[in-house]
Structure formats: C-alpha cells, structure tokens
C-alpha cells in the first residue's frame, strides 16, 4: 500500500518525528529569535492587562452587574440611576453563573461543601455536579479572594492557561517560540474565548490546547505519565461543566491522535496500540477522576427538565457572520445605547466568529505554504489542521447534508447548537496562524547551483505547482471573502430597509470592514516582507524582517483589544449584588416558604446570592418541577433552563402555585396590579403634571387600594433619574402609603400604574393621593376638566395582598400552603397530565396530597402539627406531632438524590403533588430529616480518590525514574515506560 507523503512513516522507527531537512527551512536569525518572543510576550501582557483593565487593580468588578443594575429592583435605587450596561448579552453570567458560585463560595467559607442549592427553582444540585464549574481549577479565585474581585483573576488565569497550553502544544509541533506564543494570543482572543467570558464555557475551552499537547506527548513518547497528563487536562475540562465543549474537543482530539499515530507508526502495530491504549487510559482516568461529580450529573440530567434542544440541518450560523472573523463589530454592537445594535437572527454570543484580520493572513499563509508546512511539522499534523478546519467551517456555516450526518449521531450534535463548536475552530485557526508565522520566519534555502538536470527539472515543476497552489488558496479566500461580504451587505440592506431612515447598518458594515481590510493589507505587507527577505541569498534585510515580524503580534493584539474592550464588563463595585429593601423584606418575612418572580423583578437565579428561596430560576430543574410550573397556564418556561411563572400577575392566584408554597410574588413597579378596577371619570381633555408641582387628587371609591393610575397622553422615554412620587393619605391627612418610582416610559396604550400598599385602611375610608413629578419636563395625561383623570385598583377577596412597595412590588399570596405541611388523606393519580390538572383545579383541600402510586398503608386521617426546625443547603429537619397517621408533605423537588429518616430510621420518600415528596408518619411525635446525598456520589467519590492516587503515583514514579536515569546514565539503560 502506498501512503500519501504526509502519511509516510519515518525511515527510523526509533525516531518517530525526525527534524525537517535543511533543504526545506533553516532557523531564523538569532537577533530575531531573541527579540520577537519578547515582543509577543508584551503583546500578550498588553492584551490581558488592558483587556481586563481596571478590575485587575480593584477599581471595578469584572462582572456584568452594570446590566443587573438596570433590572428591578436595582433599577429603582437612585444610586444606580446613571449606571448603564455596556453589554447586555451577558445575562446568564450575572443571573445564574455568578449567584450559584457566590452561594457555594460563601458556604465553603463557613465550612460547608454545598452539594445542593435550595434557593433557586425550588432546589437544584449545586456542588454535586459540574454545571457551574465549581470544581474547575480556574474557579479557585472565588474561594480565596473577595467575590467582586475574583472574576477578573479568573479571566486572567483563563488567558494564562490558554496561552500556556497553546505554547506547549505548538512547541511539540516544532513551532518556534515566538510563533507558538502568538498562537496562544490568537486563541485567547478568538471569538469563543471572548464572548463566553463569565460563563463556565471559557473555563472549559481554556484547556483545549492542553488536551492536544497531552495527545502529542502520547504520540511522541508513549509514556504512562503522558496518559496521566491527558487525564488531568481532560478532568479540568469535565469539572468546568458545559460538556459540549469537552465533546467537541474529544472528538477532534481523538481523530488527531489516530491520524498522528498512523502517520508516525504505520505498520508498527505495537506502537500504534500502545499509543491508543495510553490515550484511552487517559480518558478513562479523567472520567474516574471526575466521577465524584460526573456520576451525580448523569443521574440528575436523566431526570432533568430538558425541552426544545433538538437540532436540524438548518440550525447553523449564517454566512454573514463570517464577516466578524476579521471585523468583530461590522454587524452591530452589544451596547443597547450605541448606534447600531447586533441584528443577525442568531445572537452575538452564538454567532461571533472573530479570529482577527492579521491572524487570518497568517492562517492563509500556512495553508498556502503546503509543501513547507507538511515538511516543517510532524507527520500529518499540517494536513490534519487544514482538513479539520475545513470540516468544521462546513459544519458550522454550511450546515446541510454534512451537518445532517453529524446530527444523526446520538450525542453531541443532535442536541447542541453546532455554532458552539467555534471553540475548537478557534483553536485550529490559532494553531494554523502560528504555523503561518513560523514558516514565514524560516529562511528559504537557496536554489541549488549544480546537480542533475532531472533534479533541477523536478524542482522547477515543484515550484510551478507550488505557485499554482498559492494562487489557488489566496484566490479562493479572496473570492469567498467577497461573497460573504456581499451577503452581509444584503443582510444589512434588508434590515435598514425594514427599519427605515437611511442606511446606518450598511454604512457601519462598510466602515468596519474597511478598517479590517486595512489591517489585512498591513499584515500582507509584513508577510510579504518576511517571505521575500527570507529568500535573499546574501542574508541581508534582517532589520526589515524584524520590523515586519514585530508588527504582526502588535496587529493581532491591537485588533483583539478593539474587540474585547467594548465587550468585557467593568462594572462599579457597588453594583455587585447590593441589598435592596425588597431583599430585606423577603429575608424578614419569607420564613421557610418561597417567592416567585411574577413580572420582571428578581428574575432568574439572582436570589441564590442572597440565600432567598425562589420558585423561579435560571437553571436545569427536575423534569416534574419544570412541568408543574409550566402547567400554571401559558408557557411557564421559555427554555429548558428558564423556570418562570407565565403570565405574571395573571396567574398569581393559581392553585398550583399555592401547592408550590409560593408565599410572595415580586414584580416591577410599573407592572399590572391585580384587583378591582376603579375607572377614572370620563375624560374631557389633556393636562400636564408640571415638574416639582404636587397635585392632590381624590382616589375613586372607598376602602383599601393597591394602586392608582394615570393615562399618559404622549409616548415618551424618560431619563433614569426622572421619577414619579405618590403619597397616599386618609381623611385626617395621615400618610397611609408612599411610592417613589422611575417614570421610565409613558405610553398612550397603557396606564402608568403607581402601586401603593394600602390594604389596611377601613372599608369606608376615603383616600387622597398627592402626585409629584421629579423630572425635567411635565407629564401630559388625560384630564377631567383641569385635573388629571385618576383611576385606581382596589383590593378584593382574591387571595392576594399588597404586602410591600419599595424598589419593587411584593404581593403576598395568602392561600399558599406551607412548605412543610400535614396531609391527612391521599389522592392517587398515576397519570402525570391528569395529576397536574387535578392540582390546577382548586378542588383539593389543604390536608390532601396527590401521590403517584398507592402507599403501602392507607393513612388513618389523623391531624398533625408540623414545624421546620433546621435547614441547610443539603438537609432539612422537621418535627411532627401527629394525632393519628398521615403524611408529611415537603414541597421541595427532591425526588432524586434525597433520602429521609423518621426518628433516625430510614423511610420511603413518596412522590407527591407531581414534583414534591411526602413521608408516611405514624401517630406520635417524630423528627423527620431529609438529606441530600449526591446520587452515585459515594461510589463516584471513591473512584475519584482511587484515580487521583493512581495519577499521583504515575507522575511521581515518572519523576523518580527521570532522576534515576540522570544519575545512572553512564550505567546503562533504564526503563522508560513512565
């Protein structure tokens, strides 16, 4: 069998990757070799220090809490009136990733390793699974540094790990020091590593180069310790969560391993099998090392609420997004207050494709110099980098049949958006950029002046074919670039046409692409200078080569900063999860029950940072819990990880929410208020509420109210500092309630609502409200005569009570059942849909519980008193005084991974009210303890311990053998299997 040249095995089996022949390239001049690495290191340092910026020096926080400050209840705090989000694409970082990390870190400082988070979506796994990267080595700063300061250090560590891993891998490929460092810079500043900052995703992707370094170690050395290195690198990725990134890496790295082993050891089956065996051992070692989290994660995700994640061949990135490969802001920005906002159908986080204009020039150079690249790198390495890059480009941006084939696999592509594989694409492109610079830095050998005519003819033919390949590569890239640019122009034109008002998007695209084109031209000039001067027979031109080589990393770092500085957050430290009056109220009154975000306030999982129990959240919840909260009406969850009450206040009285122990609902101050409408008199015109001029108006009707309303007569957006104050008084002039809220915006299609907590007044009380506008201009409203037309929302017997109005509205749900309650009888309903309909019907009494299956014995219908006496993240203890047998019901979604004891004796957890649990309780006084023990975590822990000890033994054994080898070098060979 004849193999391609790239796959031809070496002549000497004992030397798997011989050094390239001098006829192909020679080393760069020593002066260039000394200075250029320093230049690249300075570029890396500049990128990290300037890119992260003031958070590194404690002047701000590297968290997008400036965006959080624009949400309720924080947006009502006057201190944050002027705080503006610089990037509103980082929602998940501050509403889920950070709060869970803060909770775990706080608990760890108290000596508790929190395996469970009881504060979001009813309760979900926390430290027991890798979902929040809590065991990632890059998360350690959160445990030893101030929480507001840690995010910036985490990002710095990510850059160091990404650059370091890339350097080690590329040096193994015989790439020079400076190009290897530049490859690390290109990867650390690539799209995925930038736009996913703040999520666990970049903590996973930072280790991708280390995986390939470990694989290359196995190929070249075939030592047991190299498998241990692979295990450690892969374990770091697994501990980081977001398994799709790990999956893409393992898939690509596995193919790389096969190609390199076949190319290096073709026909040498022992070496082939040993290399494969070591790699498999490394993967198994990583799985065992992470088993303490991986096993519980598998168990939980098999019972998690996962919907809407299926993929089709049409689910890929559109070609216009490729423009951002060299021009990051060509298609809009992330700043909602900027000129042109991102307008592609796929959001910026999912579709940004940045690698850099200068980097792309180096990538194309590496592909164009095919013969030199194949000879310079270890066998088949160049070929793999080029082909795998092309394959990923087709899958990510082309879709169609190739993506359909990939999605037919039962994992990875079938339920993960392929655009997220830009993590591995960025790595491959960065490696090729390093190869391109390395090849340009190497001097070309002079043409031979003598030799057989046949050899000279062959050399001329090779040069002609080489020139043809160079023309084909550069021509194809130029043509593809023009095609993508025209497609992007068409997209910009269509959006401009729909929006009206000129061509701002088209103009921005042209300007940004022109700037990127200028960088391309500069990089091309540098590449041409390196190439041309590298072929001079007199060896001159060293200064020009040095300048050209030094400009390239400056271009890479400069454009990378142009990308990251507007994107990465730098928020005031005061916005890092401040406590508002709403948090204080809930902390004082919530007790053992929970609240829900009903209309845009305290959304997602922010409450975890405050240790307040919420029924809503941004996380993977149990399947039954997701179904139950969704069943309250409408669409209760927009996605698998958004656990929300649909319809807000419209569903505040749902019996299902009562049985979920949702005691309070929190909404924004401008959201609708449920209650009895008290319309304003028929309007006769329009009047203006003038700034700083109080107007006192009688409230329609008598008795308790929940809000007053004005109807604006014009549509306006108001400054964050402009506010509306209302003071409610009774007939004696005594202040009954007060509200001070942002005006935000006035709209002629909906009234401006001012909630007021005034449900304690007498039924016949006549109330007045004094309204003052604190703004730069007056508010035009509908009027009756010369007075504003005032409507109101009265209280009614609907199971709701306006409990508190401060920075948000808090409504108490007076019919909500306690989180731990007694049930004297059970209703058995095995069918899930009918069970949820029964819970929603309102026909069940408070002392009934709905069970999935008939219990072993029927309850005697006794009564009982229940009290929660102890609560932690992983345990809840309840005392029960029962007069006859019955059930203790706990409305926590703990059907998986939890155990229960009654007076220290193990008992059976019964699935109750679809998502919760119940325990059969006999007559008498009892202590019931619910305990979370990570499912499979015990076995997983022992497996992880064994794997850790084995890896340490392998690494220590290898170090000892190295020491013996050095000491006994003159005494003969020593074993090298470690």
């Amino acid at each position: 069998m004849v193999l391609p040249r790239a796959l031809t095995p070496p002549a000497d089996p004992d030397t798997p990757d011989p050094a390239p022949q001098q006829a192909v390239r020679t080393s760069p001049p020593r002066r260039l070799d000394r200075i250029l690495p320093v230049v690249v290191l300075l570029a890396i340092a500049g990128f990290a220090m300037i890119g992260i910026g003031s958070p590194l020096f404690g002047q701000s926080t590297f968290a997008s809490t400036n965006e959080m400050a624009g949400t309720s209840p924080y947006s009502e705090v006057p201190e944050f009136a002027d705080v503006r989000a610089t990037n509103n694409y980082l929602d998940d970082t501050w509403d889920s990733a950070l709060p869970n990390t803060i909770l775990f870190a706080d608990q760890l400082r108290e000596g508790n390793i929190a395996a469970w988070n009881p504060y979001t979506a009813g309760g979900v796994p926390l430290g027991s699974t890798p979902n929040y990267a809590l065991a990632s080595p890059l998360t350690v700063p959160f445990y030893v540094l101030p929480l507001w300061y840690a995010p910036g250090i985490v990002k710095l560590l990510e850059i160091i790990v990404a650059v370091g891993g890339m350097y080690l891998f590329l040096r193994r490929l015989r790439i020079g020091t400076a190009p290897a460092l530049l490859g690390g810079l290109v990867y650390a500043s690539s799209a995925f590593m930038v736009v996913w900052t703040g999520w666990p995703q970049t903590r996973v992707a930072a280790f991708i180069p280390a995986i390939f370094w470990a694989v290359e170690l196995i190929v070249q050395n075939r030592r047991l310790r190299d498998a241990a290195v692979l295990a450690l690198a892969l374990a770091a990725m697994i501990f980081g969560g977001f398994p799709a990134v790990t999956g893409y890496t393992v898939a690509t790295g596995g193919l790389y391993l096969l190609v390199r082993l076949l190319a290096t050891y073709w026909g040498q089956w022992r070496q082939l099998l040993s290399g494969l065996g070591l790699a498999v051992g490394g993967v198994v070692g990583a799985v065992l090392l992470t088993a303490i989290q991986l096993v519980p994660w598998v168990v939980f995700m098999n019972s998690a609420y996962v919907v809407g994640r299926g993929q089709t061949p049409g689910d890929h990135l559109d070609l216009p997004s490729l423009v951002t490969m060299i021009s990051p802001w060509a298609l809009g920005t992330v700043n909602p207050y900027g000129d042109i906002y991102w307008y592609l159908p796929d959001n910026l986080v999912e579709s940004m494709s940045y690698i850099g204009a200068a980097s792309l020039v180096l990538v194309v150079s590496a592909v164009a110099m095919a013969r030199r690249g194949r000879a310079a790198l270890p066998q088949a390495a160049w070929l793999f980098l080029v082909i795998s890059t092309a394959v990923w480009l087709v899958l990510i941006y082309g879709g169609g049949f190739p993506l359909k084939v990939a999605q037919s696999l039962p994992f990875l592509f079938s339920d993960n958006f392929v655009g997220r594989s830009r993590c591995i694409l960025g790595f491959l492109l960065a490696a090729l950029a390093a190869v391109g610079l390395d090849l340009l830095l190497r001097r070309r050998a002079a043409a031979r002046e003598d030799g057989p005519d046949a050899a000279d003819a062959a050399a001329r033919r090779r040069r002609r074919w080489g020139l043809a390949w160079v023309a084909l590569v550069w021509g194809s890239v130029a043509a593809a670039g023009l095609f993508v640019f025209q497609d992007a122009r068409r997209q910009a034109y269509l959006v401009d046409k729909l929006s009206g008002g000129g061509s701002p998007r088209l103009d921005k695209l042209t300007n940004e692409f022109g700037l990127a084109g200028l960088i391309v031209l500069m990089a091309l000039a540098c590449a041409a200078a390196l190439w041309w001067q590298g072929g001079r027979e007199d060896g001159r031109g060293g200064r020009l080569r040095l300048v050209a080589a030094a400009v390239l990393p400056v271009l890479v770092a400069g454009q990378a900063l142009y990308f990251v500085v507007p994107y990465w957050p730098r928020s005031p430290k005061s916005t890092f999860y401040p406590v508002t009056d709403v948090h204080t109220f809930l902390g004082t009154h919530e007790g053992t029950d929970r609240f829900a975000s009903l209309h845009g306030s305290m959304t997602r999982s922010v409450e975890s940072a405050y240790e307040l129990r919420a029924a809503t959240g941004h996380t993977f919840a149990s399947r039954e819990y997701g179904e139950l909260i969704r069943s309250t009406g409408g669409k209760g969850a927009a996605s698998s990880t958004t656990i929300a009450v649909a319809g807000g206040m419209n569903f505040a009285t749902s019996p299902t929410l009562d049985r979920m122990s949702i005691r309070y609902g929190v909404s924004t101050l401008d959201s609708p208020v449920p209650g009895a409408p008290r319309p304003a008199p028929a309007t006769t015109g329009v009047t203006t509420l003038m700034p700083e001029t109080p107007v006192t108006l009688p409230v329609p009707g008598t008795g308790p109210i929940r809000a007053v309303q004005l109807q604006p007569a014009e549509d306006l957006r108001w400054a964050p500092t402009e506010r509306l104050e209302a003071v409610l008084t009774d007939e004696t002039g005594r202040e009954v309630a007060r509200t001070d809220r942002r005006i935000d915006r006035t709209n002629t299609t909906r009234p401006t609502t001012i909630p007021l907590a005034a449900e304690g007044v007498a039924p016949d009380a006549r109330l007045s409200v004094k309204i003052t506008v604190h703004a730069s201009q007056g508010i035009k409203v509908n009027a009756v005569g010369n007075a504003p037309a005032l409507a109101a929302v009265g209280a009614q017997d609907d199971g709701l009570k306006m409990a508190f109005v401060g920075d948000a509205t808090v409504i108490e749900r007076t019919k909500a059942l306690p989180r731990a309650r007694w049930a004297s009888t059970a209703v058995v309903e095995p069918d899930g849909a009918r069970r949820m309909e029964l819970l929603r019907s309102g026909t069940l009494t408070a002392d009934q519980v709905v069970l999935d299956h008939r219990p072993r014995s029927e309850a005697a219908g006794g009564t009982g008193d229940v009290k929660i006496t102890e609560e932690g993240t992983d345990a809840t203890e309840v005392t029960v005084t029962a007069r006859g047998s019955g059930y203790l019901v706990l409305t926590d979604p703990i059907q998986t991974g939890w155990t229960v004891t009654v007076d220290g004796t193990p008992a059976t957890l019964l699935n109750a009210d679809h998502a919760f649990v119940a325990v059969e309780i006999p007559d008498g006084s009892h202590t019931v303890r619910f305990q979370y023990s990570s499912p499979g975590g015990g076995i997983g822990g022992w497996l992880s311990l064994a794997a850790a000890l084995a890896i340490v033994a392998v690494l220590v054994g290898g170090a000892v053998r190295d020491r013996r080898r050095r000491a006994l070098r003159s005494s003969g060979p020593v074993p090298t299997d470690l």
Side-chain angles (χ1 to χ4, degrees):
M1 177 179 179
V2 179
L3 292 175
R5 184 178 184 277
L7 297 178
T8 303
D12 183 1
D14 295 328
T15 309
D17 286 312
Q21 299 177 3
Q22 294 297 315
V24 177
R25 65 178 189 179
T26 60
S27 299
R30 289 185 178 180
R31 183 184 178 192
L32 185 61
D33 204 27
R34 287 196 312 268
I35 297 176
L36 188 57
V38 176
V39 174
V40 181
L41 281 173
L42 290 174
I44 293 170
F47 168 74
M49 302 299 286
I50 300 173
I52 300 174
S54 57
L56 284 179
F57 309 102
Q59 297 174 337
S60 59
T61 181
F62 196 70
S64 191
T65 49
N66 56 4
E67 182 185 5
M68 184 180 79
T71 66
S72 177
Y74 313 100
S75 59
E76 294 291 344
V77 178
E79 179 185 356
F80 302 141
D82 293 324
V83 174
R84 287 288 179 274
T86 55
N87 180 353
N88 71 342
Y89 270 102
L90 300 176
D91 304 48
D92 299 0
T93 62
W94 58 261
D95 76 10
S96 181
L98 265 175
N100 281 280
T101 305
I102 290 170
L103 171 62
F104 186 84
D106 285 341
Q107 290 293 313
L108 192 63
R109 287 183 170 94
E110 296 176 7
N112 176 39
I113 300 177
W116 184 266
N117 177 358
Y119 303 112
T120 188
V124 296
L126 184 62
S128 59
T129 72
N131 284 345
Y132 299 106
L134 298 174
S136 169
L138 297 181
T139 307
V140 169
F142 281 102
Y143 310 141
V144 297
L145 297 173
L147 292 170
W148 61 266
Y149 183 64
I153 303 302
V154 169
K155 188 62 201 179
L156 182 62
L157 289 179
E158 286 180 7
I159 294 172
I160 292 172
V161 169
V163 172
M166 202 74 182
Y167 175 80
L168 292 172
F169 170 63
L170 292 170
R171 290 294 286 162
R172 274 282 156 183
L173 297 188
R174 299 196 296 260
I175 301 298
T177 300
L181 288 170
L182 185 69
L185 172 60
V186 173
Y187 178 62
S189 61
S190 62
F192 192 91
M193 291 299 295
V194 171
V195 298
W196 285 99
T197 294
W199 282 270
Q201 280 84 325
T202 48
R203 273 170 265 175
V204 182
F207 287 96
I208 290 177
I211 295 294
F212 280 81
W213 170 59
V215 168
E216 189 61 36
L217 284 176
I218 290 174
V219 173
Q220 294 186 17
N221 300 327
R222 304 190 319 281
R223 301 176 304 185
L224 192 56
R225 77 182 74 167
D226 300 326
V229 172
L230 176 60
L232 289 173
L234 186 56
M237 294 190 75
I238 296 172
F239 276 135
F242 204 73
V245 173
T246 305
Y248 296 133
T249 304
V250 171
T252 308
L255 291 174
Y256 177 79
L257 172 75
L258 289 174
V259 170
R260 287 283 292 118
L261 285 174
L262 287 172
T264 306
Y265 303 109
W266 181 259
Q268 303 172 54
W269 300 111
R270 181 180 177 183
Q271 288 86 341
L272 273 170
L273 292 177
S274 67
L276 285 172
L278 288 170
V280 171
V283 173
V284 172
V287 171
L288 294 178
L289 190 59
T290 58
I292 190 171
Q293 282 193 330
L294 202 56
V295 174
W297 176 79
V298 171
V299 174
F300 172 72
M301 291 307 295
N302 282 332
S303 62
Y305 182 66
V306 179
V307 294
R309 299 178 70 89
Q311 299 292 303
T312 70
D315 294 322
H316 61 85
L317 294 181
D318 294 332
L319 285 178
S321 60
L322 273 171
V323 169
T324 62
M325 185 170 282
I326 64 170
S327 182
W329 303 121
L331 302 175
T333 71
V334 293
N335 187 353
Y337 306 101
D339 49 355
I340 301 297
Y341 194 63
W342 184 265
Y343 54 87
L344 285 190
D346 292 307
N347 69 58
L348 182 142
V349 175
E350 296 287 10
S351 52
M352 174 62 70
S353 304
Y354 179 81
I355 194 70
S359 302
L360 185 62
V361 169
L362 295 175
V363 169
V364 180
S365 298
V367 177
M369 291 183 282
R371 182 167 174 269
R372 300 182 73 200
R374 290 168 58 195
L377 270 63
Q379 292 171 327
W382 179 91
L383 197 63
F384 178 86
L385 291 175
V386 173
I387 293 177
S388 57
T389 299
V391 170
W392 278 117
L393 282 169
V394 169
L395 290 176
I396 295 171
Y397 300 97
F401 180 74
L403 183 56
K404 182 178 181 180
V405 172
Q407 289 171 346
S408 65
L409 300 173
F411 55 88
L412 198 57
F413 294 95
S414 57
D415 57 358
N416 284 290
F417 179 53
V418 71
R420 295 180 178 180
S421 60
R422 288 168 296 137
C423 57
I424 200 70
L425 177 63
F427 162 76
L428 294 169
L429 289 170
L432 282 173
V435 172
L437 179 59
D438 187 75
L439 297 179
L440 289 170
L441 288 174
R442 302 293 175 172
R443 288 192 181 279
R444 288 175 288 140
R448 296 190 339 178
E449 297 179 358
D450 54 5
D453 293 340
D456 291 341
R460 286 193 295 272
R461 284 196 298 271
R462 286 195 299 270
R463 283 195 294 272
R464 284 196 297 269
W465 281 110
L467 289 174
W469 172 254
V470 169
L472 176 63
V473 170
W474 283 104
S476 298
V477 170
L482 288 174
F483 178 81
V484 169
F485 178 62
Q486 288 301 322
D487 204 14
R489 283 180 57 84
R490 179 186 61 81
Q491 181 79 22
Y493 170 78
L494 291 175
V495 177
D496 277 338
K497 186 176 181 180
L498 290 174
S499 303
S503 56
R505 292 165 186 81
L506 192 58
D507 293 341
K508 181 175 181 60
L509 170 65
T510 303
N511 294 335
E512 293 286 341
F513 197 78
L515 177 62
L518 179 61
I519 298 175
V520 167
L521 291 176
M522 295 173 65
L524 279 172
C526 293
L530 290 173
W531 171 261
W532 183 258
Q533 294 298 327
R536 291 188 56 164
E537 297 183 12
D538 56 9
R540 296 180 181 178
R543 182 173 299 177
L544 178 60
R545 282 171 57 78
L546 177 59
V547 172
V551 167
L552 286 170
V554 173
L555 290 176
V556 171
Q559 192 181 23
L561 287 172
Y562 179 70
F563 175 30
V564 304
V565 168
Y567 189 89
W568 283 346
R570 296 163 194 84
S571 303
K573 290 185 288 185
S574 60
T575 65
F576 194 83
Y577 300 95
V579 176
T580 70
D581 56 10
V582 178
H583 296 102
T584 301
F585 175 87
L586 290 173
T588 304
H589 295 84
E590 187 181 42
T592 60
D593 297 330
R594 52 176 61 99
F595 78 92
S597 171
L598 293 181
H599 199 283
S601 183
M602 296 187 70
T603 58
R604 312 294 184 98
S605 295
V606 174
E607 68 286 336
S608 295
Y610 303 92
E611 299 187 16
L612 296 171
R613 286 183 192 276
T616 48
H618 186 186
T619 184
F620 281 109
S622 71
R623 180 184 301 114
E624 292 77 13
Y625 190 84
E627 293 171 346
L628 186 62
I629 199 167
R630 193 170 193 163
S631 72
T632 57
K635 190 177 181 182
S639 68
S640 294
T641 57
T642 302
I643 307 302
V645 177
M649 291 297 185
N650 295 330
F651 296 97
T653 58
S654 167
T656 299
L657 301 185
D658 293 337
R659 302 186 76 86
M660 295 176 71
S661 305
I662 298 176
R663 177 67 56 188
Y664 294 100
V666 184
S667 64
T668 60
L669 293 180
D670 64 347
S671 63
V673 173
R678 297 183 189 175
T683 58
T684 58
V686 173
T687 190
T688 300
L689 290 168
M690 299 303 294
E692 309 303 333
T693 305
V695 175
T696 301
L697 303 168
V699 176
T702 61
I705 66 167
R706 294 173 179 170
V708 294
Q709 295 175 326
L710 296 166
Q711 181 57 58
E714 61 180 347
D715 298 332
L716 282 178
R717 184 69 183 260
W718 298 75
T721 55
E722 297 181 310
R723 308 183 67 85
L724 192 60
E725 181 185 29
V727 179
L728 192 69
T729 57
D730 61 16
E731 294 168 297
T732 67
R734 179 179 63 90
E735 182 177 313
V736 174
R738 175 188 293 264
T739 297
D740 184 5
R741 53 153 288 191
R742 286 177 54 186
I743 303 174
D744 193 27
R745 63 177 62 191
T746 50
N747 195 309
T748 57
T749 62
R750 55 171 290 190
T752 294
T753 300
I754 307 174
L756 291 159
E759 295 206 42
V761 301
D764 59 350
R766 293 190 174 276
L767 304 173
S768 299
V769 62
K770 181 173 67 174
I771 298 175
T772 307
V773 176
H774 303 290
S776 59
Q777 60 178 315
I779 301 178
K780 292 183 179 180
V781 297
N782 289 351
V784 179
N786 294 324
L790 186 73
V793 178
Q796 63 182 22
D797 186 17
D798 54 4
L800 303 177
K801 177 184 177 182
M802 185 71 72
F804 178 77
V805 176
D807 294 324
T809 301
V810 181
I811 292 183
E812 183 178 1
R813 306 183 65 262
T814 59
K815 295 181 180 179
L817 300 180
R819 203 173 114 248
R821 63 183 175 87
W822 177 263
S824 58
T825 59
V827 177
V828 178
E829 177 51 72
D831 183 77
R834 288 197 294 267
R835 192 163 53 242
M836 288 187 287
E837 178 59 35
L838 180 61
L839 295 169
R840 188 167 58 243
S841 67
T843 59
L844 295 169
T845 61
D847 64 346
Q848 286 182 304
V849 62
V850 181
L851 302 179
D852 296 10
H853 304 285
R854 190 167 299 280
R856 291 176 300 178
S857 59
E858 295 291 339
T863 61
D865 298 323
V866 174
K867 182 180 180 181
I868 295 178
T869 55
E870 179 187 332
E871 287 200 279
T873 55
D874 301 352
T876 299
E877 190 169 281
V878 183
T879 59
V880 182
T881 302
R883 294 170 291 276
S885 63
Y887 304 93
L888 166 63
V889 181
L890 184 65
T891 56
D892 287 352
I894 57 175
Q895 296 178 357
T896 301
W898 283 73
T899 58
V900 63
T901 59
V902 178
D903 300 326
T905 302
T908 301
L909 278 177
L910 305 174
N911 292 347
D913 285 358
H914 192 70
F916 308 123
V917 295
V919 184
E920 294 179 79
I921 302 295
D923 181 64
S925 297
H926 306 281
T927 299
V928 183
R929 186 173 183 83
F930 300 87
Q931 183 72 48
Y932 180 65
S933 52
S934 305
I939 296 175
W942 286 110
L943 291 174
S944 295
L945 178 60
L949 293 174
I951 289 172
V952 169
V954 168
L955 294 175
V956 171
V960 170
R961 287 178 180 269
D962 282 348
R963 186 174 180 180
R964 287 176 54 198
R965 184 183 298 113
R966 287 191 298 268
L968 303 175
R969 185 169 299 171
S970 60
S971 302
V974 295
T976 59
D977 57 334
L978 289 178

